[in-house]
Amino acid sequence: MGHGNTSSYPWGPNDICPGGLILPILDERLWPIKVRVAVYLFTLLYFLLGISIVADVFMTAIDKITSHTKKVYLAKELKSNGSDVSLRPDQPEVIEVRIWNPTIANLTLMALGTSSPEILLSIIETVGHNFEARKLGPNIIVGSAAFNLLIITSLCTLSLGLNEKRRIHDLKVFLVIGAFSFFAYIWLLLIIEVISPNIIELWEAAATFLLFPILMIFAYATDQNWCGKSTEHNTHQLDLDLGQSGTKKQLILNNGKIDKENLIKFVKDVKKYSGITDADAAKLAATKLIDSTHRGAMWYRIGAVRRFTGGKKIEPILEDHLRQVYDVIKKNGDNGYDTLNHKTPNFSQNDETKYAIIEFHAPTIAVNENIGRFPVIIWRHGNLNTKATVRVDSINGTAKEGEDFVKVKEIVEFKENEEEKEIYIEILDDNKWEPDEEFFLRLSVVHHKDLSVKLGCISIMEVTIIDNDEPGIISFGKRGLLVKESTGFVEVPIVRTHGSDSEVSVKWKTIDESAISGRDYIGGEGEIIFKDKEVAKILRIEIINDMCPEKDECFEIKLFETTGGAKIGNVNRIAITISSDDGKYFDSVVDRLMLLTNINIHALELHRQTWAEQIKTAMTVNGGDLTNATTLTYVLHFFSFFWKVIFAFIPPAAVFSGWLRFFTSLTLIGVMAMVIGDLATIFGCLIGLDDAVTAITIVALGMSLPDILGACMVTRAETHADEAMIHIAGSIAVKVLMGVGLPWFISALYHYSNGNLFEIPSTRIGFNVFLYSVMAILAVTVLMVRRNVDFFGKAELGGPTKGRYITVAILISLWAVFKRKCRK
């Protein structure tokens, strides 16, 4: 049974399986075979989990190293109208840029990070066995390459939604890296089977290893378009992105810090939605900033590892109502509304003419629990000469669908010249006392090629369920407001409490104090109308910025004369203080918002700054975020607890700019790889598998699991297939050139210095390399056909359902053939 060779002990009988570099550490010869199989299988899987976690640590070090920046001085460009510039064109502006080229970083440290377990296993196995060729390491490289190209590509295709597709943007870079990875395997086949059969000469091993720096040179030249026309992707602006996507509209950070003015604009806009606190606004701002940064395949791979180990999530997690608000903000940003980037929510005259703008009539309404069904008004303005369609969905808050209200999922169609529509919402009365509860209604556009529709600012409505049928008491939401003079306006909240039945109104007027209407603000008087069930309104007063330094000034607004039976509340006056731009209190409020935003950003950083933070994060479920932890998160945390705590003692990335963390974690990966090599060899022997089969199945699959999850995540999140496909091609090339080229070069050099030849005794490696090369040609041919045929959507990943299923069937069939042939 097994490999046919045995291991000797100084006492007792020989074992049926050979020993490894470390294992076995116990005398297990008398154990039942089934027990030994179970123990080795569980231990192997547990160490594969551990090596995934320490590889996560290793890649955070790489992220720290590759994020190093340098300062570049540029002249700021004038805007098209020649205005709104704080610097003259000849004055320099300091911008920080990354030192590492993205392509080189991908092919060196990042590819090394994802491939380090396989590479180190191959090196340690060869060097640890007297510099003799072994089966496990090289075959793991080949098996992992086939698995990445065939299976992970298939899963990326299946991970996309219906008719979604991802196309490679930088095809030249992909083809160069893919060609090199293919040539590397052809080269292996030549030196094993043709040039010097079963012998690796020193020059052959050296040439194999030197192909890696040659690959980097060619990839860099292609990325920089040294031999071709420059593309939009490689503009100078992209190099000055601080990790952003490269477009001017996304220059949100100023030298890596949050811009105060942009944050103020963003917070003002998100607070137009009901129930948004300062903490909520800061969380939304942090989410916006994080989402606007460019994230590579390594980021998603780290996220995948933490997801299946119950670790700290690296993507923002928002409550349901905040997620819906953020989705609206993001959609508006895509349509030209982005407050973080100096854009206002006001629609242009062209939009008002071209688009039908649809929104709720009010941001908040309140209803009695026993009201049953009641109408909600949706109104349209802008272009009324066309049909318009929107969808209305309900979102749980403290009130839950099925318990407190009937789920809403309705299509609303506006006919030509129709300005208002009503939908009916049903409240469930459970005949028991409950505090006020709320849920949300969300508008979304039903896309149609013949309909031009945009959502207005009030695309989310808060519905509060109360136990009161009075017309209500109207008052100001606050007794005073502080506004910066340069802001341009102040938004004053007026609320209706203790009832919301029927339509009521209240009049208002401004009263001059030290601030004078017409000089410091635009005052006057008017009337606010609350329709039935509406409980909140916003009064907007324009502030005049005279650009002169002066003391703080104030004016008042007064509420009087209600209708419909409503009453005036105690807070019937509000004082508005206009602060000059250097007002300390105003700055302290903004500083608090910036602090909250930075706290949210820091919570999602890939690495912690101190040992204490690392250990605390490792020991707590979901990195301490218990609110968003599920039962599965607790289970995963339990299984990975040991590894997370052990590896939390690795030096933080802040120490020596990440290099100490890099080498420490690399050493631990080597130790883990050594143990995994022994476990895989003995386990394969116990169940009767050859090392080559064990390598291309169990070990290759286990080490590729993080790559699977990370590749699927990056495919869904990114707009192009570059991050997934170029990373797959790059990791294949790095694995063979480093994982086979380096240990063979070391062994060939050792044997050459001793006057011997470095022999490859088995032809199985050569056959597996030949088989993989054939499969790689067929797989890349399939991808290129997909790219150019309408049936597949003219994209490498995703596309129409039939096309993607045919592609997946072909790729999986290639993998099945590869695996079956390798077994023989």
Side-chain angles (χ1 to χ4, degrees):
M1 180 180 183
H3 293 215
N5 52 3
T6 60
S7 58
S8 300
Y9 282 74
W11 70 93
N14 293 332
D15 195 4
I16 59 174
C17 292
L21 295 174
I22 298 177
L23 300 180
I25 58 177
L26 298 175
D27 187 357
E28 54 193 60
R29 288 169 293 175
L30 300 180
W31 294 7
I33 292 295
K34 292 183 179 180
V35 173
R36 294 182 68 182
V37 169
V39 169
Y40 273 94
L41 176 60
F42 175 80
T43 309
L44 176 60
L45 295 177
Y46 198 62
F47 268 79
L48 287 172
L49 173 65
I51 204 168
S52 297
I53 296 174
V54 72
D56 169 13
V57 176
F58 181 59
M59 285 185 287
T60 60
I62 294 173
D63 178 75
K64 179 68 175 179
I65 294 169
T66 56
S67 65
H68 289 170
T69 61
K70 64 180 179 180
K71 292 183 178 180
V72 174
Y73 293 82
L74 297 176
K76 188 170 183 179
E77 297 179 358
L78 284 170
K79 294 186 178 180
S80 58
N81 59 6
S83 62
D84 295 332
V85 289
S86 57
L87 297 174
R88 297 192 309 271
D90 58 336
Q91 288 182 302
E93 180 181 9
V94 179
I95 297 179
E96 294 185 13
V97 299
R98 288 182 182 266
I99 296 175
W100 285 78
N101 174 269
T103 299
I104 298 301
N106 242 324
L107 284 177
T108 53
L109 295 181
M110 292 184 187
L112 179 62
T114 57
S115 307
S116 55
E118 295 99 319
I119 294 173
L120 288 175
L121 176 58
S122 180
I123 294 173
I124 293 171
E125 185 192 39
T126 302
V127 175
H129 289 86
N130 299 318
F131 299 92
E132 298 295 339
R134 306 288 292 182
K135 292 182 180 181
L136 188 65
N139 281 292
I140 286 178
I141 300 295
V142 178
S144 178
F147 189 88
N148 287 6
L149 181 61
L150 301 174
I151 300 301
I152 296 183
T153 302
S154 300
L155 295 175
C156 288
T157 296
L158 293 175
S159 68
L160 295 173
L162 184 64
N163 291 325
E164 275 191 292
K165 59 184 180 180
R166 298 291 185 269
R167 184 179 173 90
I168 297 176
H169 179 64
D170 286 335
L171 184 61
K172 288 191 295 183
V173 175
F174 172 75
L175 291 178
V176 167
I177 297 175
F180 254 86
S181 63
F182 174 72
F183 175 74
Y185 281 91
I186 295 298
W187 172 251
L188 283 184
L189 184 62
L190 290 175
I191 63 176
I192 293 173
E193 301 288 349
V194 179
I195 299 177
S196 54
N198 298 332
I199 295 176
I200 304 298
E201 298 180 2
L202 180 60
W203 73 269
E204 295 173 334
T208 304
F209 181 63
L210 288 176
L211 284 175
F212 181 63
I214 295 174
L215 166 62
M216 288 192 294
I217 294 173
F218 272 84
Y220 181 77
T222 305
D223 181 69
Q224 297 297 310
N225 291 282
W226 288 355
C227 302
K229 184 179 178 181
S230 62
T231 62
E232 179 184 356
H233 175 71
N234 290 311
T235 59
H236 183 58
Q237 181 62 52
L238 181 63
D239 294 332
L240 307 176
D241 60 1
L242 277 176
Q244 312 294 329
S245 69
T247 57
K248 289 185 178 180
K249 73 175 185 177
Q250 290 182 338
L251 295 178
I252 299 169
L253 302 180
N254 182 12
N255 287 334
K257 298 180 180 179
I258 299 173
D259 186 89
K260 212 178 245 191
E261 297 300 325
N262 289 342
L263 180 62
I264 293 170
K265 292 179 181 180
F266 180 80
V267 169
K268 284 179 181 177
D269 283 311
V270 299
K271 282 202 168 186
K272 292 178 181 179
Y273 299 98
S274 175
I276 301 297
T277 64
D278 286 349
D280 292 337
K283 187 179 292 187
L284 289 169
T287 303
K288 177 68 175 176
L289 293 174
I290 291 170
D291 280 355
S292 66
T293 59
H294 174 72
R295 297 169 295 191
M298 184 183 69
W299 189 92
Y300 290 98
R301 189 185 188 277
I302 293 174
V305 171
R306 296 188 182 182
R307 179 169 293 185
F308 71 75
T309 58
K312 178 65 178 176
K313 301 295 188 297
I314 60 175
E315 66 272 10
I317 300 177
L318 300 174
E319 292 79 5
D320 286 345
H321 71 286
L322 290 182
R323 171 56 61 183
Q324 302 305 325
V325 170
Y326 180 72
D327 288 344
V328 171
I329 294 170
K330 187 176 180 180
K331 182 177 292 185
N332 286 339
D334 294 339
N335 293 330
Y337 160 35
D338 190 344
T339 54
L340 272 180
N341 297 300
H342 308 285
K343 298 181 181 180
T344 66
N346 299 324
F347 293 100
S348 66
Q349 185 175 0
N350 180 56
D351 285 342
E352 292 280 0
T353 304
K354 180 179 179 181
Y355 292 96
I357 301 171
I358 302 177
E359 57 187 324
F360 290 111
H361 192 270
T364 306
I365 63 173
V367 297
N368 301 329
E369 190 179 31
N370 61 356
I371 191 174
R373 297 177 76 247
F374 67 94
V376 169
I377 298 175
I378 304 172
W379 71 294
R380 174 174 72 162
H381 54 99
N383 182 10
L384 303 179
N385 299 322
T386 183
K387 295 181 180 180
T389 305
V390 292
R391 183 192 304 275
V392 184
D393 296 290
S394 57
I395 307 166
N396 286 339
T398 55
K400 306 299 182 184
E401 64 182 38
E403 299 177 7
D404 303 296
F405 65 94
V406 176
K407 181 179 180 180
V408 180
K409 189 173 184 180
E410 187 172 340
I411 300 294
V412 178
E413 296 182 355
F414 286 81
K415 298 179 181 178
E416 293 183 8
N417 299 316
E418 191 172 15
E419 296 185 20
E420 289 188 352
K421 294 287 287 188
E422 288 185 349
I423 63 168
Y424 281 87
I425 311 299
E426 184 174 354
I427 303 299
L428 302 177
D429 188 357
D430 54 13
N431 295 320
K432 66 179 181 179
W433 181 88
E434 290 177 323
D436 290 353
E437 299 174 312
E438 77 282 338
F439 64 97
F440 303 87
L441 299 176
R442 180 193 64 175
L443 288 176
S444 58
V445 175
V446 178
H447 293 285
H448 191 281
K449 62 180 180 180
D450 297 328
L451 302 179
S452 298
V453 181
K454 279 190 175 183
L455 297 180
C457 293
I458 311 178
S459 59
I460 293 180
M461 172 185 280
E462 181 183 28
V463 181
T464 303
I465 304 174
I466 60 175
D467 188 18
N468 198 305
D469 58 1
E470 297 293 329
I473 298 174
I474 300 176
S475 60
F476 288 110
K478 299 180 179 179
R479 294 186 179 274
L481 287 173
L482 179 68
V483 61
K484 201 170 182 179
E485 186 180 39
S486 60
T487 301
F489 59 88
V490 59
E491 294 181 336
V492 182
I494 302 175
V495 297
R496 180 187 187 186
T497 58
H498 298 86
S500 60
D501 273 7
S502 72
E503 181 175 304
V504 299
S505 67
V506 63
K507 293 183 178 180
W508 62 270
K509 67 177 180 180
T510 59
I511 302 172
D512 290 348
E513 297 291 344
S514 56
I516 307 299
S517 177
R519 186 191 71 185
D520 302 301
Y521 71 99
I522 305 298
E525 58 182 64
E527 184 179 35
I528 296 290
I529 298 175
F530 288 82
K531 293 191 175 184
D532 185 32
K533 307 303 180 299
E534 292 180 353
V535 293
K537 287 288 187 179
I538 297 294
L539 173 62
R540 183 171 174 139
I541 303 294
E542 184 177 350
I543 304 299
I544 300 174
N545 186 3
D546 54 16
M547 304 300 291
C548 297
E550 53 194 350
K551 295 181 178 180
D552 293 350
E553 300 167 323
C554 69
F555 65 95
E556 290 188 351
I557 306 176
K558 178 182 178 181
L559 294 178
F560 65 99
E561 195 176 321
T562 60
T563 65
K567 299 178 181 179
I568 299 291
N570 293 329
V571 188
N572 63 341
R573 282 178 177 252
I574 185 171
I576 309 298
T577 301
I578 306 173
S579 172
S580 60
D581 285 355
D582 59 355
K584 294 182 179 179
Y585 179 74
F586 186 92
D587 286 341
S588 68
V589 173
V590 177
D591 289 342
R592 178 175 176 271
L593 285 170
M594 293 185 67
L595 177 62
L596 289 172
T597 304
N598 277 311
I599 289 173
N600 282 281
I601 294 175
H602 174 70
L604 296 171
E605 288 179 344
L606 291 181
H607 47 77
R608 306 290 90 184
Q609 298 297 319
T610 64
W611 264 293
E613 288 181 339
Q614 286 186 171
I615 295 171
K616 180 180 178 181
T617 301
M619 296 186 69
T620 54
V621 177
N622 206 23
D625 184 13
L626 301 182
T627 303
N628 297 301
T630 63
T631 302
L632 180 60
T633 308
Y634 279 89
V635 173
L636 295 173
H637 175 72
F638 171 77
F639 281 106
S640 58
F641 180 81
F642 172 78
W643 294 123
K644 290 196 290 188
V645 173
I646 290 295
F647 298 138
F649 289 92
I650 295 175
V655 179
F656 294 111
S657 301
W659 286 106
L660 182 58
R661 185 179 183 86
F662 177 89
F663 288 110
T664 304
S665 54
L666 186 63
T667 301
L668 290 175
I669 290 174
V671 174
M672 298 281 289
M674 190 186 309
V675 176
I676 287 174
D678 286 355
L679 289 168
T681 300
I682 298 175
F683 173 74
C685 170
L686 291 173
I687 62 175
L689 287 181
D690 187 80
D691 281 348
V693 179
T694 306
I696 66 171
T697 53
I698 300 172
V699 182
L701 174 60
M703 290 188 172
S704 298
L705 183 59
D707 285 328
I708 296 172
L709 300 178
C712 292
M713 289 174 62
V714 73
T715 301
R716 290 194 301 266
E718 297 294 316
T719 57
H720 297 289
D722 296 56
E723 288 293 348
M725 297 305 301
I726 292 180
H727 182 72
I728 288 174
S731 65
I732 291 173
V734 171
K735 282 176 184 178
V736 66
L737 297 178
M738 291 289 289
V740 177
L742 182 56
W744 282 7
F745 174 70
I746 295 172
S747 298
L749 183 62
Y750 172 82
H751 285 282
Y752 178 80
S753 63
N754 287 278
N756 301 321
L757 295 176
F758 178 46
E759 298 181 358
I760 306 293
S762 173
T763 59
R764 174 58 63 179
I765 296 176
F767 176 76
N768 290 347
V769 168
F770 169 75
L771 192 59
Y772 167 77
S773 301
V774 174
M775 300 305 169
I777 293 175
L778 295 175
V780 173
T781 301
V782 169
L783 293 178
M784 292 302 101
V785 170
R786 284 182 54 88
R787 182 181 178 87
N788 296 282
V789 177
D790 288 328
F791 177 77
F792 296 103
K794 287 191 173 182
E796 287 80 3
L797 302 179
T801 303
K802 291 183 179 179
R804 75 170 64 185
Y805 284 154
I806 291 174
T807 303
V808 170
I810 294 173
L811 295 180
I812 292 180
S813 298
L814 293 177
W815 165 251
V817 171
F818 173 79
K819 189 171 65 171
R820 185 171 61 252
K821 293 295 183 182
C822 288
R823 285 178 180 270
K824 295 181 179 179

